[in-house]
Amino acid sequence: MGGHVSATQIASLCCTNSSMFFKLTRSSLFKMRLPLIPISMGVLGKNTIIPLFQISKASSRHRLLKSIARLIPRYERCTCDECEVFSGIFGNTFWHQNVSPTLHYWLNKHSLPSLPMSAFPHLRKICTTGFIVDPNGSNTYLIHPERLALSTLYISGGRSLLVTPQTSFLANQYMRLHQPHYTHTRIVVEGFGHSDLLIGEESYKKVFPHILSHIRSSEEDQRNGVTRLQESKYSKEALSWGDDLYGERKKGFLSWVSPLVLFWLFMMFSLIVASYLL
Ligand SMILES: [Zn+2]
């Protein structure tokens, strides 16, 4: 989604809940497979930037899409309208209990006045494919692992939102397989979802130490002019492509309720859009 930066310009890489693999939670994947994004882009027309603030002026097309976004099911509801609209479009990006009220207010009332949607069709292709592809859906990136000659740290939240910890698991396996002479670490932090890994009230204690440690060890490796193969109890598992201990937890019948609700909402959504456009 914007070309690539040569690895020679990057000292090391740290990703939270993102990687070359996109393994979505069951409800997020279901939502992505429905043609919600193509229909939304049709509703938006030429102006694909949605004003998010409640007080902002919005066109009738934007107001329609925001109204529909408020109806889309998600794990947590909120009293803040901006948060409701954003979560309707993306899904919840953080667990509210992990974020302070001050940060929540800043995020919704100051930080993001508008949401550009033009990249969403590309994002949908990536999410439904399961790994990074170009805007035409072609696998042009994963076939070049030699471009990723650097140390990596992949961090996932253990209480999944949007993507599952498989996202970091597969990335870590890929890097160990293709760049075995660099250090590759993967961490799953329990209790965190998606963006709360970075903006959570407890992130400085539970997440940032891993990032700092990764930066320090990468700098040390570069100073010493060596790359090292991480020797750990997991090294034997590195190429085994085994199951992930932190895979998406089975949530029983309830995990299917959301997709069902989504399906019926999608039907309703289609009817509203059709009656609006006809
Ligand atoms: Zn909220």
Side-chain angles (χ1 to χ4, degrees), residues 141-152:
Y141 303 111
L142 275 189
I143 55 174
H144 290 294
E146 76 282 359
R147 292 176 178 170
L148 284 166
L150 38 74
S151 297
T152 59

Side-chain angles (χ1 to χ4, degrees), residues 24-40 68-77 84-93 120 124 127-128 161-162 258-263 265-266 269:
L24 272 62
T25 59
R26 198 174 287 142
S27 59
S28 298
L29 187 60
F30 187 83
K31 230 192 282 189
M32 273 294 180
R33 283 183 176 156
L34 292 175
L36 289 171
I37 289 179
I39 293 174
S40 301
I68 294 165
R70 292 184 189 100
L71 298 174
I72 304 284
R74 74 287 313 261
Y75 288 109
E76 287 186 333
R77 285 284 170 183
E84 281 287 275
V85 171
F86 187 82
S87 305
I89 294 169
F90 263 106
N92 290 118
T93 54
F120 273 61
R124 180 173 182 245
C127 291
T128 50
L161 279 176
L162 302 180
S258 182
L260 275 175
V261 173
L262 269 172
F263 174 75
L265 265 170
F266 169 70
F269 171 68

Side-chain angles (χ1 to χ4, degrees), residues 78 83 96 104:
C78 184
C83 189
H96 278 76
H104 184 273

Side-chain angles (χ1 to χ4, degrees), residues 8-202:
T8 57
Q9 306 297 313
I10 304 172
S12 67
L13 185 67
C14 172
C15 295
T16 55
N17 274 321
S18 60
S19 76
M20 61 289 271
F21 296 97
F22 279 65
K23 296 298 175 189
L24 272 62
T25 59
R26 198 174 287 142
S27 59
S28 298
L29 187 60
F30 187 83
K31 230 192 282 189
M32 273 294 180
R33 283 183 176 156
L34 292 175
L36 289 171
I37 289 179
I39 293 174
S40 301
M41 300 312 287
V43 171
L44 286 175
K46 282 185 184 163
N47 186 356
T48 56
I49 300 176
I50 305 178
L52 280 184
F53 291 161
Q54 202 174 11
I55 52 168
S56 307
K57 270 194 172 177
S59 69
S60 56
R61 284 168 177 266
H62 289 156
R63 283 200 302 275
L64 173 65
L65 200 70
K66 286 169 81 167
S67 303
I68 294 165
R70 292 184 189 100
L71 298 174
I72 304 284
R74 74 287 313 261
Y75 288 109
E76 287 186 333
R77 285 284 170 183
C78 184
T79 52
C80 168
D81 183 67
E82 288 83 353
C83 189
E84 281 287 275
V85 171
F86 187 82
S87 305
I89 294 169
F90 263 106
N92 290 118
T93 54
F94 53 82
W95 292 110
H96 278 76
Q97 72 180 60
N98 290 341
V99 173
S100 72
T102 312
L103 188 79
H104 184 273
Y105 183 86
W106 178 81
L107 273 178
N108 290 295
K109 302 289 184 186
H110 290 284
S111 159
L112 193 63
S114 53
L115 180 65
M117 294 277 290
S118 58
F120 273 61
H122 186 188
L123 183 63
R124 180 173 182 245
K125 272 203 178 98
I126 293 171
C127 291
T128 50
T129 307
F131 58 86
I132 192 161
V133 291
D134 69 17
N136 303 315
S138 306
N139 177 17
T140 50
Y141 303 111
L142 275 189
I143 55 174
H144 290 294
E146 76 282 359
R147 292 176 178 170
L148 284 166
L150 38 74
S151 297
T152 59
L153 166 66
Y154 287 99
I155 304 177
S156 279
R159 195 180 167 205
S160 296
L161 279 176
L162 302 180
V163 298
T164 72
Q166 238 202 332
T167 296
S168 61
F169 175 75
L170 292 175
N172 182 252
Q173 299 277 30
Y174 177 91
M175 293 306 297
R176 284 170 177 241
L177 177 67
H178 295 291
Q179 295 290 349
H181 301 299
Y182 289 85
T183 305
H184 303 295
T185 312
R186 184 237 183 176
I187 308 278
V188 177
V189 189
E190 289 298 340
F192 285 79
H194 197 72
S195 60
D196 41 338
L197 276 171
L198 293 176
I199 61 173
E201 195 70 353
E202 301 276 293

